[in-house]
Amino acid sequence: MNAMKYEKWYKEAVVYQIYPRSFQDSNQDGIGDIQGIIQRLDYLVKLGINVVWLSPVYKSPNDDNGYDISDYTDILSEFGTLEDWKQMLGEMHKRGIKLVMDLVANHTSDEHPWFVESKSSLDNPKRDYYIWRKGKNNGRKPPNNWTSFFTGKAWEYDPHTNEYYLHLFSKKQPDLNWENPKVRNETKEILRYWLDLGVDGFRCDVINIFSKKEGLPNGKWKIALTGSEHYLNEPKIHEYLRELKRDVLSKYDCFTVGETVFVTTMEALEYVGEKREELDMVFHFEHMAVDTINNKWFITKFKPKKLVKVLSKWQEDLNGRKHPEFGEGWNALYFENHDQPRSVSRFGCDGVYWQTSAKMLATALYFQKGTPYIYQGQEIGMTNAHFVRLEQYKDIETHNIYKIGRSMLHFTHKRMMKKIKYMSRDNARTPMQWTNEKYAGFSKTSPWIEVNPNKNVINASLQQTDPDSILSYYKQIIALRKKHRVLIHGEYREWRQPSPNLYIYERKEDAECIVVMTNFSRKSILPRIPNVLARENFEYLMGNYGMQPLSPHQQMRPYEARVYLLK
Ligand code: ISL
Ligand code: CA
């Protein structure tokens, strides 16, 4: 079979991310599961999405909630069985929903049989599956100064063989050695296994850090991620991705979205440019850093202008005009995932303007060029967890940063809790709020992580019957994307504004043009619209203030969003 045969259906897709542990519990053990997902598929059909990205459901000791895999071809028993999974896939396909699985191949769990073998002796055939090195100073110090994404050293000493292994995440997540062709072949087998079972694509975890610079040199000291200049976007990763594409992915009708940390637009194009034959799109993080300085834990006030600048840059740079040798690239549009705070709490207002601002954010994002990704609960405007005690948080990253902040930086408990409250990944991991029942309809028993106390006000069941709800608004957005081709293929152009809080852009293809207007503030602001355009030129399509405004030139009210067809 030939890659060219397939239509690029993913460009018209709308993806919904499920974090299985927190979506729906079917057997009342407090943990979401696969049968739970099956129960909620009709909800997803009504929403209008047509692809599900499922965060890991593989066997895992759950040091990092499934991103530490101990068996890539079987299902974690808390989530169900492979039979359940097959049933889920069948039920999805029956409803026209495709399934994208999470491929976590930078590292395995330390309980994966490969690692168990690898650490058993220096001459084990699987020794080279991982990155083992002798320590410095007669073994007393780690091989280099690299630090982990979850803070602390990136090396763990193993007394049995007197060497250290590299782990860029937790010490229970040893990094695989991608320079070893056997490791690449194992990954290909895993891909084939799931593709042959019928999956439609992969979200590839931290794909741009697989290849490490030869010799593993010391990195320049940084407040976080010392050493990263020696593994971010190393030239060989591009070879490896083309190898996966050539040997496996091109033979199936599937797509890939790579999670690429700290990439610039130009680096991203090397992964997604159509001529590169590597990935179909990437998740970048530039817009996820606009409220931080250098590091996610150094938080600064959110300024809409910064966000808009980044969004426009990605829209413009990926069109490929600056680098025709790479070809055009395709964007992945997201504000949320299981690692990020809730967008309404972060870029909107989860108080008075909760509903308006959640709708505005969706308008600003999902009419851009690219494939929309909706993270579970985002479509009902779920907010940050607002936990008050450290014990309420479950995430390994959160607990690690708390320890480091207190012990090494000498920050007060209060200061650390403030950071965590804003930035912890658990903000996105509280149970999906289906109803106002005790456990939000997620489960009948106390869940693995507490339900957000606002479930009585924010839940899907309330919103399903309300035409003015955030959920209904998301349905409208998805329907509009399906109706207007220009929203898929049209060119993007920002209409720059004097106000730093207004974001207006157009999508244009041939004679069709759609204008999207959003206000990121609680003030009313006059938009700047070319004078030549009269009121009659604008056909109102949708907005978050109900009734059609009198004129497109009219003030943008607090967090207002309006969408017009330009004639
Ligand atoms: O959330 C982050 C840390 O604050 C990110 O840096 C995150 O670690 C990075 O985006 C990689 O994320 C992915 O791989 C991790 C896993 O913990 C995340 O859940 C996953 O999305 C390790 O597999
Ligand atoms: Ca369960």
Side-chain angles (χ1 to χ4, degrees):
M1 272 184 284
N2 173 329
M4 298 311 291
K5 230 179 78 183
Y6 299 117
E7 292 284 331
K8 299 211 158 140
W9 53 265
Y10 59 81
K11 293 192 173 175
E12 293 179 30
V14 178
V15 186
Y16 188 89
Q17 183 191 351
I18 293 181
Y19 193 68
R21 185 160 286 268
S22 305
F23 191 58
Q24 178 66 59
D25 177 17
S26 74
N27 62 348
Q28 318 313 334
D29 62 355
I31 297 172
D33 47 55
I34 289 176
Q35 284 300 331
I37 297 174
I38 297 176
Q39 290 171 12
R40 295 296 184 182
L41 288 179
D42 289 329
Y43 168 87
L44 298 182
V45 171
K46 281 193 205 129
L47 177 58
I49 62 97
N50 49 10
V51 178
V52 163
W53 151 28
L54 182 60
S55 277
V57 288
Y58 315 99
K59 285 220 180 325
S60 160
N62 275 316
D63 186 51
D64 184 22
N65 278 1
Y67 283 88
D68 48 322
I69 299 172
S70 54
D71 183 347
Y72 286 86
T73 55
D74 205 355
I75 303 294
L76 178 65
S77 47
E78 285 173 337
F79 290 151
T81 62
L82 194 57
E83 283 316 304
D84 292 317
W85 181 90
K86 287 181 184 164
Q87 185 193 345
M88 176 189 72
L89 182 67
E91 294 294 327
M92 285 180 171
H93 283 170
K94 223 167 37 191
R95 290 168 175 79
I97 296 176
K98 296 187 192 263
L99 177 63
V100 166
M101 294 287 276
D102 216 309
L103 174 78
V104 188
N106 175 68
H107 43 267
T108 68
S109 159
D110 65 337
E111 296 179 34
H112 193 292
W114 297 339
F115 189 73
V116 175
E117 276 195 52
S118 182
K119 84 184 248 200
S120 67
S121 70
L122 287 169
D123 55 6
N124 184 279
K126 297 226 160 44
R127 186 69 174 177
D128 281 349
Y129 270 42
Y130 295 86
I131 302 172
W132 291 98
R133 293 290 184 279
K134 290 212 175 339
K136 284 187 178 155
N137 288 9
N138 273 332
R140 282 191 302 273
K141 278 181 70 189
N144 68 25
N145 66 353
W146 296 6
T147 58
S148 136
F149 277 71
F150 293 161
T151 64
K153 291 193 175 17
W155 293 94
E156 183 70 10
Y157 178 65
D158 168 45
H160 177 59
T161 54
N162 193 25
E163 285 189 347
Y164 290 77
Y165 67 86
L166 179 72
H167 62 88
L168 290 180
F169 293 88
S170 99
K171 63 178 184 212
K172 284 185 68 60
Q173 292 168 299
D175 280 51
L176 283 162
N177 173 17
W178 267 74
E179 304 350 298
N180 181 349
K182 287 193 191 131
V183 166
R184 303 201 293 277
N185 285 337
E186 298 273 12
T187 307
K188 289 181 212 167
E189 282 310 313
I190 294 165
L191 290 173
R192 279 190 202 105
Y193 173 85
W194 292 104
L195 287 163
D196 288 338
L197 284 173
V199 315
D200 304 286
F202 296 93
R203 174 267 187 188
C204 312
D205 196 60
V206 289
I207 192 96
N208 65 323
I209 69 170
F210 284 16
S211 174
K212 279 83 179 170
K213 187 167 287 154
E214 219 182 298
L216 309 180
N218 271 332
K220 246 194 295 161
W221 184 88
K222 286 188 297 195
I223 183 91
L225 289 182
T226 297
S228 61
E229 68 273 32
H230 300 311
Y231 57 75
L232 289 173
N233 314 309
E234 282 294 302
K236 279 195 184 144
I237 182 60
H238 295 288
E239 280 171 38
Y240 301 155
L241 286 172
R242 283 197 286 270
E243 181 181 326
L244 295 183
K245 177 99 173 191
R246 183 192 66 219
D247 294 354
V248 185
L249 298 163
S250 64
K251 301 195 162 57
Y252 296 82
D253 182 13
C254 66
F255 87 90
T256 48
V257 48
E259 187 203 28
T260 47
V261 285
F262 311 111
V263 285
T264 62
T265 51
M266 287 308 128
E267 286 160 347
L269 263 181
E270 295 188 34
Y271 291 102
V272 302
E274 277 179 342
K275 296 185 189 155
R276 301 279 296 177
E277 296 288 320
E278 295 187 18
L279 298 167
D280 295 309
M281 52 187 131
V282 295
F283 293 123
H284 71 85
F285 286 79
E286 215 179 332
H287 61 319
M288 291 288 114
V290 295
D291 51 355
T292 66
I293 300 167
N294 291 330
N295 173 287
K296 73 182 267 188
W297 299 104
F298 290 95
I299 298 156
T300 169
K301 191 175 165 1
F302 166 60
K303 298 234 174 63
K305 197 177 162 180
K306 272 196 182 169
L307 176 70
V308 168
K309 205 171 152 199
V310 173
L311 294 177
S312 270
K313 176 162 70 156
W314 279 82
Q315 288 287 302
E316 284 155 16
D317 288 0
L318 256 58
N319 73 19
R321 275 196 218 104
K322 280 193 199 156
H323 280 271
E325 70 275 24
F326 297 148
E328 194 185 344
W330 192 252
N331 269 292
L333 309 173
Y334 81 98
F335 274 164
E336 292 185 23
N337 62 36
H338 63 291
D339 293 333
Q340 299 295 334
R342 291 291 184 174
S343 58
V344 68
S345 303
R346 188 178 192 182
F347 303 144
C349 156
D350 64 11
V352 221
Y353 294 110
W354 161 67
Q355 195 178 69
T356 320
S357 69
K359 292 177 184 174
M360 182 282 290
L361 289 172
T363 319
L365 181 68
Y366 293 132
F367 292 126
Q368 291 178 29
K369 189 169 189 174
T371 299
Y373 285 78
I374 301 168
Y375 177 69
Q376 69 185 40
Q378 185 184 346
E379 76 283 12
I380 56 168
M382 277 179 64
T383 69
N384 276 353
H386 302 308
F387 288 159
V388 288
R389 285 174 294 111
L390 186 62
E391 309 80 74
Q392 290 176 291
Y393 293 93
K394 304 294 169 205
D395 182 19
I396 177 170
E397 185 200 43
T398 299
H399 287 277
N400 282 358
I401 195 67
Y402 180 85
K403 278 184 223 140
I404 296 273
R406 295 281 282 142
S407 66
M408 291 178 62
L409 303 172
H410 306 294
F411 288 170
T412 61
H413 170 76
K414 204 171 150 198
R415 181 155 180 204
M416 286 315 296
M417 289 306 286
K418 193 174 162 206
K419 288 180 187 294
I420 287 170
K421 193 173 172 189
Y422 183 87
M423 200 49 109
S424 171
R425 307 195 294 183
D426 281 340
N427 283 312
R429 299 179 181 185
T430 61
M432 176 70 187
Q433 288 157 223
W434 296 105
T435 68
N436 63 3
E437 288 158 275
K438 183 153 187 221
Y439 301 116
F442 164 75
S443 179
K444 291 198 167 48
T445 168
S446 169
W448 71 275
I449 187 168
E450 281 176 42
V451 170
N452 191 314
N454 62 24
K455 50 105 179 135
N456 288 350
V457 188
I458 304 180
N459 66 65
S461 120
L462 266 182
Q463 296 194 23
Q464 254 163 333
T465 47
D466 174 5
D468 287 329
S469 66
I470 299 170
L471 181 61
S472 298
Y473 194 87
Y474 266 76
K475 291 179 186 168
Q476 255 183 292
I477 288 186
I478 295 172
L480 202 67
R481 281 186 64 99
K482 286 189 186 144
K483 192 165 161 217
H484 294 275
R485 204 192 118 91
V486 63
L487 291 173
I488 313 290
H489 299 288
E491 290 278 326
Y492 168 95
R493 191 166 67 91
E494 191 187 331
W495 289 13
R496 299 203 197 271
Q497 298 296 308
S499 162
N501 294 325
L502 288 189
Y503 174 39
I504 304 186
Y505 63 89
E506 67 170 37
R507 298 291 309 283
K508 191 171 187 319
E509 189 186 37
D510 304 325
E512 208 180 4
C513 181
I514 284 181
V515 180
V516 179
M517 305 174 56
T518 53
N519 179 358
F520 272 76
S521 78
R522 49 182 76 211
K523 288 191 222 104
S524 291
I525 310 171
L526 205 60
R528 185 167 73 188
I529 291 184
N531 280 334
V532 289
L533 294 174
R535 200 162 121 185
E536 302 73 57
N537 295 116
F538 289 81
E539 181 189 331
Y540 180 71
L541 294 178
M542 65 181 289
N544 61 356
Y545 267 76
M547 289 262 289
Q548 164 164 7
L550 293 174
S551 149
H553 298 268
Q554 170 182 321
Q555 285 208 330
M556 299 286 299
R557 289 161 285 186
Y559 292 108
E560 183 167 9
R562 313 201 284 250
V563 183
Y564 293 95
L565 185 68
L566 201 60
K567 293 182 291 191

Coordinates of all heavy atoms in Angstrom, one line a residue, residues 24-33 78, ligand 2:
Q24 N -14.9 8.1 33.4 CA -16.2 7.5 33.9 C -15.8 6.1 34.5 O -15.2 5.3 33.9 CB -17.2 7.3 32.8 CG -18.4 6.6 33.2 CD -19.3 7.4 34.1 OE1 -19.7 8.5 33.8 NE2 -19.5 6.8 35.3
D25 N -16.2 6.0 35.8 CA -16.0 4.7 36.5 C -17.3 3.8 36.3 O -18.4 4.2 36.6 CB -15.8 5.0 38.0 CG -15.6 3.8 38.8 OD1 -15.3 2.7 38.2 OD2 -15.7 3.9 40.0
S26 N -17.1 2.6 35.8 CA -18.3 1.7 35.6 C -18.5 0.7 36.6 O -19.5 0.2 36.8 CB -18.2 1.0 34.2 OG -17.2 0.0 34.3
N27 N -17.4 0.4 37.4 CA -17.5 -0.7 38.4 C -17.4 -0.2 39.8 O -17.2 -1.0 40.7 CB -16.6 -1.9 38.1 CG -15.1 -1.4 38.2 OD1 -14.9 -0.2 38.2 ND2 -14.2 -2.3 38.2
Q28 N -17.5 1.1 40.0 CA -17.5 1.7 41.3 C -16.3 1.3 42.2 O -16.5 1.0 43.4 CB -18.9 1.3 42.0 CG -20.1 1.3 41.2 CD -20.2 2.6 40.3 OE1 -19.7 3.7 40.7 NE2 -20.9 2.5 39.2
D29 N -15.2 1.5 41.6 CA -14.0 1.4 42.4 C -13.2 2.7 42.5 O -12.1 2.8 43.0 CB -13.0 0.3 41.9 CG -12.5 0.6 40.5 OD1 -12.9 1.6 39.9 OD2 -11.6 -0.2 40.0
G30 N -13.9 3.7 42.0 CA -13.3 5.1 42.1 C -12.3 5.4 41.0 O -11.8 6.5 41.0
I31 N -12.2 4.5 40.1 CA -11.2 4.7 39.0 C -11.9 4.6 37.7 O -12.6 3.6 37.4 CB -10.1 3.7 39.1 CG1 -9.3 3.9 40.4 CG2 -9.1 3.8 37.9 CD1 -8.3 2.8 40.7
G32 N -11.8 5.6 36.8 CA -12.4 5.5 35.5 C -11.9 4.3 34.7 O -10.8 3.8 35.0
D33 N -12.7 3.8 33.8 CA -12.3 2.6 33.1 C -12.9 2.5 31.7 O -13.6 3.4 31.3 CB -12.7 1.4 33.9 CG -14.1 1.5 34.4 OD1 -15.0 1.7 33.5 OD2 -14.4 1.4 35.6
E78 N -7.1 -2.2 36.1 CA -8.0 -1.2 36.7 C -8.9 -0.7 35.6 O -10.0 -0.3 35.9 CB -7.2 0.0 37.2 CG -6.5 -0.3 38.6 CD -5.6 0.9 39.0 OE1 -5.2 1.7 38.1 OE2 -5.3 1.0 40.2
Ligands
CA2 CA -13.5 1.5 37.6

